[in-house]
Amino acid sequence: MKFDVVGTSPVRLDAYDKATGKSRYTDDEPLPGVLYGAIAFSPVSHGLLKSVDVSKAKALPGVVKVMVAADLGDKYANNIGAVRADQPLLAYDHLRWRGDRLAIIAAESPEIARKAASLVTAEIEELPVIHTSEEALAEGAPKLHEMGNLADSMCIRHGDVEKAFSESPIILDNRYVVGYQDHAYLEPNSVVAIPGADGSLLLRGSMQAPFYVQGALAKVLKKPMSKIRVQQATTGGGFGGKEDYPNEPSAVASVLAFETGRPVKVIYNREEDLAYSTKRHSMIIEHKLAAKEDGTITAIKVKAICDAGAYLGISSIVAERANASATGPYRSPNVQVDTLVVYTNNAFGGAFRGFGAPQVTFALERQMDLLAEKVGVDPVEIRRRNTFSAGEISPLGDVVEADVNAMRVLELAAKKTPILKELKKGKEAHIKRGIGLAAVRYGVGLHAGGQRLEGSGALVQVNIDGSVRVNIGGAELGQGAFTAMAIIAAETLGVSYGRIYVGEADTMLVPDSGPTVASRTTVMSGNAVKDGCLIMKERLLKCAAADTGRKAGELDIKGDALIDKKSGEIIMDFATLANKAYCAKVNLVANGWYAPDRKIWNKEVGQGQSYTTYAHAVMVAEVAVDTITGQVHVEKMHAIHDVGQAIHHKGIEAQIEGGVVQGMGWAIMEELVIKDGKMLNPNFTDYIIPTIQDIPEIKITLLERPYKNGPYGAKGIGEPSLIPVAAAIGNAVANALKKPVMELPMNPERIKLNLLNK
Amino acid sequence: MAFLRPQSREELLNAIHEHPGYIMVAGATDVWPKIRRGAIKDADFIDLTAMPRLEPYCDAQGALHLPGSITAGRIAAGGDKMCKKWPLLVEGARHVGSPQIRNRATIAGNICTASPCADMTTGLTPYNPEVKLSSLAGSRQLPLREFLTGPGRTARAADEWLEEVILPLPPEGVFSKFCKTGRRNALIIAVASMALNILIKKGKIEHIALAFGSVAPTVLRAQKVEEFLLGKELSAAIIEEAAAIAYNEVKPINDQRATAEYRRQVCRDFLAAALEEAAQ
């Protein structure tokens, strides 16, 4: 297909403002009369709260309001749980982790507010701390909630695994342990609540799911949603970390705003953000795989235990994707997956780019390499023998889509990367080199379990000067969503990219479009924009037909002008057309909408149509391991991605580069040090993320085969670019050391220990 | 808060004489984080950045005199003489923080902060450097190893200013090696580091100076290893033995960055690899 704008790489809409520091983030917004919120967090990881003393905080000059749980009274609901009502906004009785709030404070300056928070004291009876999910599930463990510590579970039941295990000659039974990861976005959690005189509220902030915030605030404030308007301010990164967590600072700010009658900003500092915002789940994955002599998989049995922390948050939804990703792009006639979500006193598990998939992918792809070794074939061949193709029944119980690209990306990897080539020996004796591959099958959009949230809206407004304004329900987190929307709008309307302005996400402008997660925005919001633009174009052409006396079917808009389709004759420019339409009383605002088909799915056995479509990727990592220090240096990363149709080429490359670097950080260096529930390294001196000096050479290959239901054929890219990274690096390290790699992160100490183990 | 900004050496010495409790700052790369996390509260400062800018020079004996105000960035950029004759100094400076930090952080600050993981200090140590301390009463010179008395502690009197660092000329033909480990390639606090100078003549070790960072209360001069190796011929067995001595001589602790055991292993293997390289 030939496009005018799609597939080009225009300068991003936000590039100039962000690069020059002009962008205005929540903390930058000038606001007369604003107060600053602060939170007194729990000083213990587990305990019984007897009383809270806020007298000293209240006495501090400049403090305007201090509230504890009892002060919420009947006016507010003390519940901020995203999925389950298990999480209070302000703690009472039971303290379950260090992120529990003893008191919230509004003061004239952030310094006074924090000082007041530090003056809050509490009488607490400490309880034994639950350190791991396995400890939580052990008999006699202290219960964190009435229901016990097993917060949720989901499964896949497909065939008969036990029978297959008893009949298969090869069995690989291993345990993998993977650590937490922080999103390390540049902008910490930041919101501002502005109370209206009529009891309405405007909440602006750094977030990726304004509709979640709106829903959460309606509950806490006991107000109709119609009175709560949420706008996404310019947001300095999210990566999943701002999916549901912003509900919490938003509720704190809003309650304080109504109590004081003044706007309240809640801006976390880095330490607070690192310690109390959500994290990629730490998981324990028991992975048992059976195969025939030739390496054909006969059964996969997985038990994945996710450490949710003290509250459910959206861990169930993350676990759902982990559950559905446990078998990857491979056929297995017998599958049993059990994914457990467990309460502990640790960090708060939540959404993070990949959403449970990177963890299980690491386990699965390590198993595939071990299987290859056992069978005596190369890593490509073992996957070739097991990758399913169109029309087969997948382990998830659905029919593999006709345009499945799993094998295509694998063959591209075999051809385009050195995975099958002999490694060159380096000069230095203490450097060991290795290469490794990992594959992913990523379900684009929300899982069937969450499909009610999938519908997405767009607002398309043509002005009489020919400029076009677009709003979507999706958010711009830095991923380039708004730029992609502008491209789709320009392509559909037949105007130039520069005409399109995409405004911030706002619950008042666009219907609830679900969260900006699951690599879904390009597909869902993109289709909504296309829909809105097509409606608009039809109106404009109809008006033009009446105006020119031609048939609408003979007209088109292209290159910023109304043209005659056949001859290409330019009839009038776009602004003239827009003005004419206005004078002819044409409605120049159109609402676009897109919702994928309903998916049939059976939760009891985890079988059915799990996702709308799938994006496939294979990554190949080349590593050098320093056997003296145990440091892993990722030298080169090859990324092969099935993207449907690229909407913005450079944007896709940037997403992939970012995914590689963030995935690499998790794989080899990032680590939350948690002792008795307390994070010991809540700062960037000790929570180590990659710098420019660690970034490998990244070679990107795009497989562009348009997806039939994507806008101009596009699929999602945000998460597939991260999911296989750690697995590929893990396989490369194992290949370099000729030793098993069972744990993440592969930090220098762990590798050194591994080297010394005989 | 008082903030003094002396314009000359004389003004400075008077200022610290009158206000020995004030904190001297130049790059402020350590002071700022300390203020921010509350480790320094209600302090008064003497800012050194308005003083005349001094240049490094070599004296008649060939020793290198570095003004305390020279930045890590300036040292890291080398300059022929420094690169050739004091490569460990340059290497150490290159490992300090990030470009932004190196452009502000001074060598005097790096030494006076007295952190066992200070990369420049580790790099300096094998040269047997001395520090020149000046006050109204006059100047004195002290070997660096006597100056550093513990983590965050030095022999500097409250009214003394670290004016100069003096590095004697190392012996001709010396082999130098700087190694460091941490979780990433830059902007990383050393988990363990090593700086080695060794001169082998006619097969025998004629000179050796070995320092380890991040494995003791101060940057450590590994005297036991040095004593063992001096005068010996390097062989596989000797290297192994020396490495084992290093393993025991370093006195690391467990902290959230790494375990003591890992640090010992790395020091041992750093030394073994460096000695093997030197023997070739």
Side-chain angles (χ1 to χ4, degrees):
Chain A
M1 240 186 278
K2 191 133 167 40
F3 300 118
D4 294 320
V5 198
V6 164
T8 64
S9 297
V11 174
R12 277 176 56 149
L13 296 175
D14 53 350
Y16 179 80
D17 285 352
K18 281 180 176 161
T20 57
K22 261 180 74 187
S23 295
R24 194 183 276 170
Y25 296 86
T26 304
D27 195 24
D28 305 325
E29 295 196 23
L31 210 54
V34 72
L35 293 172
Y36 294 87
I39 300 163
F41 290 100
S42 170
V44 304
S45 303
H46 194 197
L48 294 177
L49 183 59
K50 304 286 186 190
S51 64
V52 183
D53 182 355
V54 294
S55 55
K56 280 191 189 132
K58 276 186 170 159
L60 192 70
V63 170
V64 177
K65 186 81 191 172
V66 181
M67 295 175 80
V68 297
D71 300 321
L72 294 173
D74 290 335
K75 197 170 163 195
Y76 305 101
N78 192 5
N79 162 33
I80 193 69
V83 169
R84 178 180 294 159
D86 64 352
Q87 187 183 6
L89 177 62
L90 278 156
Y92 57 94
D93 298 349
H94 200 167
L95 294 172
R96 299 180 182 89
W97 84 298
R98 301 226 169 211
D100 276 330
R101 289 162 284 262
L102 299 179
I104 54 177
I105 291 131
E108 299 289 351
S109 79
E111 292 78 18
I112 296 170
R114 282 216 169 75
K115 171 89 183 160
S118 75
L119 296 175
V120 173
T121 56
E123 197 188 328
I124 296 163
E125 181 190 328
E126 284 204 56
L127 294 172
V129 173
I130 298 175
H131 301 87
T132 65
S133 46
E134 286 177 331
E135 235 177 82
L137 293 177
E139 233 174 281
K143 272 196 198 177
L144 291 182
H145 293 272
E146 221 164 287
M147 69 180 293
N149 296 333
L150 179 59
D152 203 354
S153 67
M154 45 282 309
C155 71
I156 294 176
R157 295 287 180 271
H158 184 85
D160 182 350
V161 286
E162 297 311 329
K163 183 162 174 283
F165 282 124
S166 69
E167 290 167 357
S168 300
I170 299 174
I171 307 271
L172 295 164
D173 191 357
N174 289 304
R175 179 186 147 98
Y176 297 88
V177 181
V178 298
Y180 295 99
Q181 186 178 21
D182 182 74
H183 310 80
Y185 32 61
L186 273 176
E187 185 199 22
N189 274 283
S190 307
V191 298
V192 57
I194 305 165
D198 59 354
S200 67
L201 174 81
L202 171 62
L203 187 292
R204 292 178 53 79
S206 184
M207 63 183 74
Q208 44 188 113
F211 300 99
Y212 279 13
V213 173
Q214 186 191 25
L217 291 182
K219 249 193 270 174
V220 169
L221 302 173
K222 296 189 178 175
K223 280 181 184 289
M225 286 169 78
S226 51
K227 283 194 164 179
I228 296 164
R229 179 180 189 182
V230 179
Q231 291 173 338
Q232 186 216 8
T234 302
T235 294
F239 307 109
K242 290 172 188 162
E243 178 172 356
D244 57 315
Y245 191 79
N247 295 359
E248 300 189 26
S250 296
V252 170
S254 300
V255 168
L256 290 170
F258 278 115
E259 287 301 301
T260 59
R262 290 167 66 176
V264 176
K265 275 188 181 183
V266 173
I267 314 281
Y268 278 24
N269 62 29
R270 184 60 66 182
E271 288 76 7
E272 290 163 345
D273 203 285
L274 274 163
Y276 307 124
S277 70
T278 54
K279 305 284 170 268
R280 185 187 302 293
H281 291 83
S282 170
M283 283 194 204
I284 298 164
I285 300 150
E286 292 165 9
H287 203 290
K288 193 172 171 186
L289 183 150
K292 296 182 191 163
E293 303 279 8
D294 67 353
T296 308
I297 298 171
T298 53
I300 295 176
K301 184 178 174 183
V302 179
K303 186 175 170 191
I305 310 172
C306 314
D307 187 334
Y311 301 104
L312 188 60
I314 57 165
S315 287
S316 295
I317 308 169
V318 178
E320 194 76 80
R321 187 177 283 275
N323 198 63
S325 306
T327 53
Y330 307 117
R331 79 172 68 81
S332 174
N334 305 291
V335 174
Q336 178 179 331
V337 182
D338 287 283
T339 304
L340 311 182
V341 181
V342 181
Y343 288 129
T344 71
N345 299 117
N346 288 328
F348 195 2
F352 194 148
R353 197 178 196 174
F355 214 67
Q359 294 95 320
V360 294
T361 300
F362 171 69
L364 173 67
E365 291 295 315
R366 283 293 304 124
Q367 292 282 81
M368 292 306 286
D369 265 25
L370 293 174
L371 180 60
E373 217 171 276
K374 199 120 196 173
V375 175
V377 298
D378 65 64
V380 173
E381 182 55 28
I382 198 67
R383 288 169 175 83
R384 207 178 264 142
R385 289 181 189 178
N386 288 291
T387 295
F388 48 53
S389 42
E392 289 185 51
I393 301 292
S394 88
L396 302 181
D398 60 353
V399 180
V400 174
E401 65 278 14
D403 55 351
V404 60
N405 287 321
M407 195 66 99
R408 287 191 181 89
V409 288
L410 182 64
E411 295 301 349
L412 269 173
K415 211 167 82 186
K416 294 241 173 189
T417 78
I419 184 72
L420 299 175
K421 298 206 176 88
E422 199 64 31
L423 286 177
K424 271 186 223 137
K425 274 231 167 104
K427 273 177 276 176
E428 293 166 293
H430 67 280
I431 303 291
K432 290 189 193 253
R433 289 199 151 69
I435 189 163
L437 172 149
V440 64
R441 171 172 169 82
Y442 178 81
V444 176
L446 303 171
H447 184 269
Q451 60 181 315
R452 68 183 185 286
L453 303 170
E454 195 81 293
S456 293
L459 179 143
V460 178
Q461 179 177 15
V462 172
N463 300 290
I464 52 172
D465 62 355
S467 65
V468 181
R469 181 196 173 96
V470 171
N471 279 90
I472 57 167
E476 174 61 68
L477 314 173
Q479 84 280 43
F482 286 3
T483 298
M485 295 306 118
I487 291 174
I488 290 168
E491 184 72 46
T492 313
L493 283 175
V495 301
S496 52
Y497 170 76
R499 253 179 219 277
I500 317 285
Y501 171 76
V502 182
E504 59 192 6
D506 186 331
T507 56
M508 209 175 82
L509 296 179
V510 178
D512 188 339
S513 304
T516 297
V517 301
S519 311
R520 65 188 282 271
T521 304
T522 301
V523 175
M524 305 302 165
S525 291
N527 270 324
V529 168
K530 193 178 169 196
D531 182 51
C533 289
L534 285 174
I535 293 169
M536 181 60 69
K537 192 171 171 182
E538 200 188 317
R539 286 183 201 161
L540 292 173
L541 289 181
K542 202 173 145 197
C543 166
D547 184 69
T548 60
R550 307 187 196 209
K551 284 182 185 149
E554 291 167 4
L555 299 169
D556 198 3
I557 304 169
K558 259 202 180 291
D560 289 312
L562 177 73
I563 59 163
D564 182 281
K565 237 192 225 170
K566 231 186 228 158
S567 67
E569 172 208 350
I570 293 175
I571 300 163
M572 65 181 86
D573 67 27
F574 188 73
T576 308
L577 174 62
N579 198 29
K580 283 203 170 179
Y582 174 75
C583 294
K585 301 182 190 70
V586 173
N587 176 2
L588 290 179
V589 174
N591 285 299
W593 185 251
Y594 178 74
D597 293 342
R598 203 182 114 74
K599 294 174 271 285
I600 309 294
W601 185 67
N602 180 351
K603 185 177 167 35
E604 299 306 310
V605 289
Q607 296 286 284
Q609 298 156 306
S610 295
Y611 293 100
T612 300
T613 188
Y614 294 86
H616 296 85
V618 167
M619 286 206 187
V620 173
E622 296 183 54
V623 304
V625 184
D626 185 323
T627 58
I628 295 177
T629 61
Q631 279 171 295
V632 174
H633 299 285
V634 181
E635 296 187 315
K636 221 185 246 186
M637 201 77 181
H638 307 263
I640 295 112
H641 284 271
D642 145 33
V643 296
Q645 162 69 45
I647 298 293
H648 187 288
H649 252 277
K650 282 248 179 304
I652 286 206
E653 286 170 17
Q655 278 270 31
I656 294 170
E657 287 167 0
V660 165
V661 175
Q662 198 163 37
M664 181 192 76
W666 181 56
I668 65 176
M669 58 180 84
E670 298 185 34
E671 192 162 17
L672 256 71
V673 183
I674 296 180
K675 192 172 180 243
D676 297 329
K678 185 182 185 185
M679 183 179 180
L680 298 183
N681 57 340
N683 55 68
F684 283 153
T685 304
D686 290 316
Y687 182 81
I688 303 295
I689 61 171
T691 78
I692 195 88
Q693 298 282 356
D694 302 290
I695 294 176
E697 184 187 342
I698 301 168
K699 296 207 147 194
I700 295 167
T701 305
L702 299 184
L703 173 68
E704 286 188 273
R705 298 181 74 236
Y707 157 51
K708 65 179 190 314
N709 294 325
Y712 299 102
K715 285 183 182 176
I717 187 66
E719 292 163 286
S721 62
L722 182 143
I723 297 167
V725 175
I729 295 172
N731 281 338
V733 170
N735 174 254
L737 304 182
K738 312 289 175 228
K739 289 189 182 245
V741 170
M742 318 301 284
E743 257 181 88
L744 294 180
M746 296 172 273
N747 66 33
E749 182 150 6
R750 209 163 263 143
I751 294 291
K752 185 84 180 163
L753 195 72
N754 190 332
L755 282 162
L756 294 171
N757 283 341
K758 292 290 171 223
Chain B
M1 184 189 81
F3 191 83
L4 304 180
R5 206 153 187 262
Q7 313 281 322
S8 68
R9 186 176 188 274
E10 198 190 341
E11 271 183 46
L12 168 67
L13 295 181
N14 277 310
I16 48 179
H17 180 74
E18 276 169 45
H19 309 286
Y22 286 20
I23 298 171
M24 277 183 275
V25 289
T29 54
D30 276 316
V31 162
W32 265 119
K34 280 182 186 163
I35 292 172
R36 197 175 163 268
R37 64 167 189 264
I40 294 178
K41 269 184 200 158
D42 309 320
D44 303 301
F45 298 96
I46 298 175
D47 173 17
L48 303 175
T49 57
M51 304 261 295
R53 207 165 268 236
L54 300 171
E55 288 298 311
Y57 66 94
C58 288
D59 64 20
Q61 283 75 45
L64 177 65
H65 292 244
L66 296 170
S69 61
I70 193 168
T71 62
R74 173 86 191 275
I75 298 173
D80 278 356
K81 219 174 232 166
M82 268 194 255
C83 279
K84 257 190 208 144
K85 295 186 176 164
W86 295 275
L88 295 175
L89 165 71
V90 177
E91 270 296 300
R94 280 183 183 155
H95 279 90
V96 171
S98 60
Q100 296 91 328
I101 292 171
R102 287 195 290 274
N103 285 340
R104 293 199 61 85
T106 63
I107 194 165
N110 198 255
I111 293 172
C112 290
T113 297
S115 165
C117 58
D119 292 320
M120 256 193 292
T121 308
T122 306
L124 280 172
T125 298
Y127 296 111
N128 292 318
E130 300 208 337
V131 292
K132 180 179 168 191
L133 299 162
S134 300
S135 67
L136 271 189
S139 293
R140 61 175 177 141
Q141 262 179 236
L142 207 62
L144 181 65
R145 66 165 89 170
E146 287 173 33
F147 181 72
L148 300 171
T149 55
R153 289 199 305 273
T154 68
R156 187 179 70 84
D159 67 341
E160 280 183 318
W161 166 52
L162 198 159
E163 187 171 13
E164 234 178 44
V165 184
I166 303 137
L167 284 83
L169 192 63
E172 193 84 24
V174 74
F175 169 88
S176 300
K177 187 84 184 174
F178 185 95
C179 311
K180 172 177 168 180
T181 184
R183 281 188 193 217
R184 67 182 167 206
N185 294 333
L187 189 56
I188 188 79
I189 295 171
V191 159
S193 59
M194 182 194 80
L196 168 72
N197 268 343
I198 185 166
L199 180 67
I200 303 171
K201 268 201 176 154
K202 292 180 188 146
K204 278 209 173 74
I205 297 171
E206 207 177 271
H207 168 86
I208 176 159
L210 174 64
F212 288 107
S214 281
V215 290
T218 64
V219 172
L220 178 84
R221 236 345 245 276
Q223 282 168 306
K224 285 180 188 162
V225 179
E226 291 178 6
E227 277 164 27
F228 170 77
L229 283 173
L230 196 65
K232 291 220 168 57
E233 281 182 35
L234 280 182
S235 65
I238 292 290
I239 290 174
E240 203 185 318
E241 207 173 326
I245 295 170
Y247 177 93
N248 286 310
E249 187 170 12
V250 296
K251 300 282 178 256
I253 53 163
N254 291 312
D255 65 17
Q256 46 153 313
R257 292 187 188 123
T259 62
E261 180 56 25
Y262 169 75
R263 292 178 156 113
R264 283 182 194 279
Q265 289 163 0
V266 171
C267 289
R268 177 193 64 201
D269 296 351
F270 271 157
L271 180 62
L275 291 176
E276 270 165 34
E277 201 182 328
Q280 281 165 12

